């Protein structure tokens, strides 16, 4: 991430962590979690929480991750995730957690 | 902790229901750029804009990427040019429009607004010159938008300005006749114009604003419609409550983006505009929300009541989601930019008279309305006067963005392309308003303005 892209906020962050949410949807198959976890480990992205279910043959997973130590910026990380997902027939999203908090909680932003 | 359902709801809103941030608009004061030498003034304007907005597009893209929320437009609004250009020794203000265009291209924004004049009570020399330059400015630039405020609740309606704008609109259409009079799509005539509106074509950076500011406009008619689909047949209390909840969520995303953009760019955070801006895409229409409430077609009887409810509920839900609300903040009904509106006109369900009634309960006015190319300047001026009267008496913003499409008649369909969409030429009343418009002078401010 370039200096211009990095938030300049001082002390306003809840923690040095940069939490993001990854979602994965697609037809269930062997190795989805393994593949994605391995990619995140290589990228130095820490997984904080995982939940997954199967809904009518469809695999759905939500991961909370910390991007603070990530080797790539969000753009690049997402691009690679989406590309690897496409090859497995998976639809993957990656977004900072703040956007979900803003939408569903009335706490101050 | 955010739960799974909330995450999926957000993702559905973004992916399937076309929730996006319609615009982040940087307001830039040009007051320091005035100069007796017009060439020098234009250089100062270009330098100021390109330095303030250097990182606007890049920052917008970065925020969109990190939060996974599309930001459709990045725009710039500047101090009304008539105020700045007046000091320059020149009669023709086209050079200022060209300077704005060049700055817009350099910064990579979609539009730049502020080729504007505030003449609700009278014209100064600069205002008169700017208005004369509007047709050439809009025909010789692509990205420059113009707006003129001809009335306020406090001042009444400047009918000389209204008459003049009728001619300016006709002339602008003529000069851009090869593209269906598209110059008029970049020109808004206001009553009670807001100084912090982030939406085009009416954005300008008001005189009471700070040096540089970020204002954000949200979108999301598709999310409102999807929410209402779940409460089919329920009473209006439930409808209003459902809209309020979804409006809160939409606006919070706008607030988040506004705060983040202002902080990253190191400028003040202005307002979030609560307007639900539609696009010509399927599933992004305000008209379809009204139909979801139970109307066979937008424009039929009940449309005004449905729109009033929608507009009010969006505000009630949005106001708590944002620290500072401003701009236009109401449902938009731009005809050519809303797939459902175009459909309603084509079916014969929506005419200009019903549209006018609907503008009494929402923002912003007769917006992106195509009329026959042979419509007289006086008739257009009279349409503006009617809209201004609605705004002035009801203490709200109204506007007219009307396109007399050269060579086209009632029922013809025109493609403007992009966000401007496509329009069907609407019928205007064939009886003359000429003598009314020729009177000139000012319509006095209404009694309701005397509040002190």
């Amino acid at each position: 991430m370039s200096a211009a892209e990095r938030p300049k906020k001082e002390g306003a962050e809840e923690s040095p962590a940069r939490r993001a949410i990854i979602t994965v949807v697609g037809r269930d198959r062997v190795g989805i979690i393994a593949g994605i976890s391995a990619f995140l480990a290589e990228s130095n992205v820490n997984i904080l929480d995982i939940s997954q279910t199967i809904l009518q043959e469809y695999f759905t997973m939500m991961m909370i991750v910390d991007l603070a130590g990530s080797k790539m910026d969000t753009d690049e990380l997402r691009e690679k995730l989406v590309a690897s997902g496409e090859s497995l027939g998976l639809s993957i999203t990656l977004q900072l957690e703040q956007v979900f908090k803003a939408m569903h909680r009335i706490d101050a932003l | 902790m955010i739960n799974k359902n909330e995450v999926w709801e957000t993702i559905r809103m973004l992916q399937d229901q076309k929730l996006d941030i319609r615009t982040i608009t940087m307001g830039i004061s040009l007051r320091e750029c005035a100069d007796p030498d017009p060439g020098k003034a234009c250089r100062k304007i270009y330098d100021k804009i390109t330095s303030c907005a250097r990182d606007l597009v890049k920052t917008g893209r970065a925020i969109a990427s990190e939060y996974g929320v599309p930001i459709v437009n990045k725009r710039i609004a500047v101090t009304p040019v008539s105020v700045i250009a007046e000091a320059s020794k020149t009669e023709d203000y086209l050079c200022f429009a060209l300077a704005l265009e060049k700055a817009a291209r350099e910064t990579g924004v979609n539009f730049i607004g502020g080729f504007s004049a505030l003449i609700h009570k009278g014209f100064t020399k600069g205002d008169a010159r700017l208005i004369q330059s509007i047709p050439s400015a809009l025909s010789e630039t692509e990205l420059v938008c113009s707006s003129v405020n001809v009335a306020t609740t406090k001042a009444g309606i400047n009918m000389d300005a209204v008459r003049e704008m009728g001619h300016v609109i006709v002339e602008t259409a003529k000069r851009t006749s090869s593209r269906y009079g598209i110059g008029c799509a970049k020109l808004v005539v206001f009553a009670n114009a807001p100084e912090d509106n982030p939406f085009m074509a009416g954005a300008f950076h008001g005189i009471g604003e700070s040096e540089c500011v970020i204002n954000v406009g949200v979108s999301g008619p598709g999310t409102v419609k999807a929410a209402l689909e779940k409460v089919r047949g329920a009473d209006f209390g439930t409808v209003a409550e459902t809209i309020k909840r979804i409006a809160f969520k939409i606006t919070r995303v706008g607030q988040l983006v506004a705060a983040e953009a202002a902080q990253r760019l190191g400028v003040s955070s202005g307002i979030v505009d609560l307007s639900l801006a539609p696009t010509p895409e399927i599933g992004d229409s305000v008209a379809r929300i009204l139909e979801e409430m139970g109307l066979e077609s937008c424009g039929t009887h009940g449309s005004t009541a449905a729109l009033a409810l929608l507009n009010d509920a969006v505000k009630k839900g949005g106001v708590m989601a944002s620290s500072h609300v401003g701009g236009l903040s109401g449902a938009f009904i731009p005809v050519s930019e809303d797939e459902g509106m175009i459909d309603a006109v084509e079916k014969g369900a929506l005419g200009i008279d019903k549209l006018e009634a609907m503008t009494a309960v929402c923002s912003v006015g007769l917006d992106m309305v195509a009329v026959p190319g042979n419509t007289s300047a006086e008739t257009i001026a009279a349409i503006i006067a009617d809209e201004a009267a609605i705004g002035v008496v009801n203490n709200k913003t109204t506007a007219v963005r009307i396109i007399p499409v050269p060579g086209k008649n009632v029922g013809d369909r025109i493609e403007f392309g992009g966000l401007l969409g496509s329009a069907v030429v609407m019928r205007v009343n064939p009886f003359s308003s000429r003598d009314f418009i020729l009177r000139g002078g000012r319509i006095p401010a209404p009694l309701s303005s005397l509040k002190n």
Side-chain angles (χ1 to χ4, degrees):
Chain A
M1 178 187 271
S2 75
E5 283 170 317
R6 198 186 302 278
K8 290 170 198 155
K9 212 179 320 191
E10 283 167 10
E13 292 276 44
E14 282 175 20
S15 69
R18 205 170 143 73
R19 284 156 68 114
I21 292 183
I22 294 174
T23 66
V24 182
V25 184
R27 210 167 274 281
D28 195 22
R29 63 191 295 282
V30 173
I32 297 179
I33 297 183
I36 291 173
S37 313
F39 170 76
L40 293 174
E42 272 168 37
S43 315
N44 203 34
V45 171
N46 190 22
I47 300 172
L48 305 171
D49 187 70
I50 296 189
S51 66
Q52 62 113 142
T53 42
I54 306 288
L55 278 173
Q56 298 157 354
E57 296 174 50
Y58 275 89
F59 172 89
T60 67
M61 175 169 76
M62 179 182 120
M63 264 180 180
I64 301 180
V65 298
D66 181 4
L67 303 181
S70 171
K71 290 175 184 165
M72 292 174 256
D73 66 23
T74 33
D75 239 356
E76 203 183 336
L77 196 64
R78 179 188 302 107
E79 228 167 76
K80 296 211 163 134
L81 265 174
V82 169
S84 68
E86 269 166 11
S87 63
L88 300 169
L90 300 168
S91 151
I92 302 184
T93 67
L94 165 71
Q95 291 167 268
L96 290 186
E97 187 192 36
Q98 254 178 312
V99 74
F100 300 95
K101 279 192 174 163
M103 221 183 226
H104 300 283
R105 298 287 179 271
I106 57 167
D107 313 359
L109 291 177
Chain B
M1 174 84 87
I2 294 297
N3 74 42
K4 248 195 304 193
N5 291 340
E6 291 166 336
V7 169
W8 293 119
E9 183 189 352
T10 301
I11 287 173
R12 264 199 311 276
M13 285 167 76
L14 289 163
Q15 291 189 342
D16 305 338
Q17 299 159 13
K18 303 191 168 61
L19 172 63
D20 55 44
I21 300 296
R22 174 52 54 83
T23 178
I24 54 176
T25 303
M26 177 180 268
I28 302 172
S29 167
L30 297 183
R31 275 152 68 172
E32 65 186 284
C33 303
D35 196 290
D37 176 350
K40 270 191 198 161
C42 286
R43 260 195 307 283
K44 286 186 198 171
I45 288 172
Y46 175 84
D47 291 345
K48 174 94 191 254
I49 295 171
T50 49
S51 116
C52 288
R54 192 178 52 239
D55 294 329
L56 176 62
V57 172
K58 192 171 77 182
T59 305
R61 282 200 191 122
I63 294 172
S65 162
E66 288 167 36
Y67 291 106
V69 179
I71 299 175
V72 182
N73 293 297
K74 293 92 187 170
R75 296 164 169 172
I76 295 170
V78 297
T79 311
V81 165
S82 71
V83 176
I84 309 309
E86 191 155 322
S88 297
K89 295 193 170 62
T90 174
E91 293 290 314
D92 185 358
Y93 286 1
L94 175 62
C95 55
F96 294 97
L98 296 173
L100 295 180
E101 174 90 357
K102 197 170 147 209
R105 291 198 184 274
E106 173 63 27
T107 50
V109 294
N110 312 85
F111 275 121
I112 185 163
F115 196 78
S116 304
L118 309 176
I119 48 171
H120 37 273
K121 207 161 178 189
F123 303 81
T124 64
K125 288 176 205 157
D127 295 331
R129 288 179 205 140
L130 181 119
I131 286 164
Q132 293 313 315
S133 307
I134 288 175
S136 60
L138 294 183
S139 56
E140 291 183 40
T141 62
E142 289 286 320
L143 308 177
V144 175
C145 291
S146 176
S147 55
V148 175
N149 194 52
V150 297
T152 64
T153 298
K154 275 282 178 197
I157 307 173
N158 180 352
M159 289 299 287
D160 292 327
V162 167
R163 185 187 55 219
E164 202 53 41
M165 289 315 294
H167 289 288
V168 167
I169 288 170
V170 167
E171 180 60 24
T172 303
K174 262 189 211 153
R175 295 217 192 178
T176 50
S177 60
S178 60
R179 295 168 63 204
Y180 306 121
I182 201 168
C184 298
K186 297 180 286 174
L187 173 59
V188 182
V189 185
F190 273 116
N192 292 322
E195 300 205 325
D196 51 9
N197 160 28
F199 289 104
M200 292 299 172
F204 63 88
H205 185 71
I207 300 297
E209 294 285 317
S210 59
E211 195 64 31
C212 187
V213 68
I214 287 290
N215 298 318
V216 165
V218 297
S219 178
T223 58
V224 175
K225 181 172 184 295
L228 287 182
E229 283 168 8
K230 293 188 191 131
V231 295
R232 275 191 185 148
D235 73 351
F236 285 115
T238 311
V239 171
E241 200 57 37
T242 305
I243 298 172
K244 273 159 66 179
R245 285 172 195 278
I246 204 80
F248 175 85
K249 292 173 185 171
I250 296 170
T251 311
R252 284 281 279 193
V253 179
Q255 174 67 29
L256 179 68
V257 167
E260 193 65 31
Q263 184 233 324
R264 290 191 194 188
L265 290 162
V267 304
S268 40
S269 173
I271 56 95
V272 176
D273 189 315
L274 305 181
S275 306
L276 282 183
T279 70
E281 269 184 74
I282 305 274
D284 210 12
S285 153
V286 170
R288 300 297 184 202
I289 299 174
L290 308 187
E291 292 170 2
E292 183 56 44
M293 286 190 212
L295 301 171
E296 187 183 355
S297 171
C298 171
T300 189
H301 304 292
S303 298
T304 310
L307 185 58
L309 182 154
L310 170 67
N311 202 30
D312 182 63
V314 165
K315 284 179 203 164
K316 285 173 178 164
V319 77
M320 190 172 159
S322 170
S323 341
H324 296 282
V325 170
L328 296 161
S329 286
F332 285 170
I333 49 170
V335 179
S336 77
E337 297 175 2
D338 185 311
E339 164 271 321
M341 290 275 167
I342 304 161
D343 186 43
V345 175
E346 240 169 5
K347 285 190 293 204
L350 178 64
I352 212 163
D353 295 339
K354 186 62 178 179
L355 210 49
E356 184 184 309
M358 288 164 74
T359 65
V361 298
C362 79
S363 70
V364 82
L366 289 176
D367 197 12
M368 288 305 287
V369 172
V371 296
N374 62 1
T375 308
S376 73
E378 288 79 18
T379 293
I380 289 173
I383 291 171
I384 294 170
D386 281 343
E387 270 306 312
I390 290 173
V392 164
V393 170
N394 295 304
N395 212 350
K396 71 187 282 294
T397 304
T398 49
V400 173
R401 185 159 54 139
I402 194 167
I403 306 118
V405 189
K408 297 290 173 185
N409 291 310
V410 176
D412 291 347
R413 198 182 167 113
I414 297 121
E415 297 290 335
F416 291 117
L419 273 184
L420 296 174
S422 61
V424 176
V425 176
M426 293 172 89
R427 178 187 175 275
V428 297
N429 197 310
F431 295 92
S432 170
S433 317
R434 189 167 177 274
D435 292 346
F436 177 76
I437 292 302
L438 290 183
R439 282 177 185 272
R442 283 191 283 141
I443 294 181
L447 193 57
S448 59
S449 72
L450 299 174
K451 287 190 173 156
N452 296 343

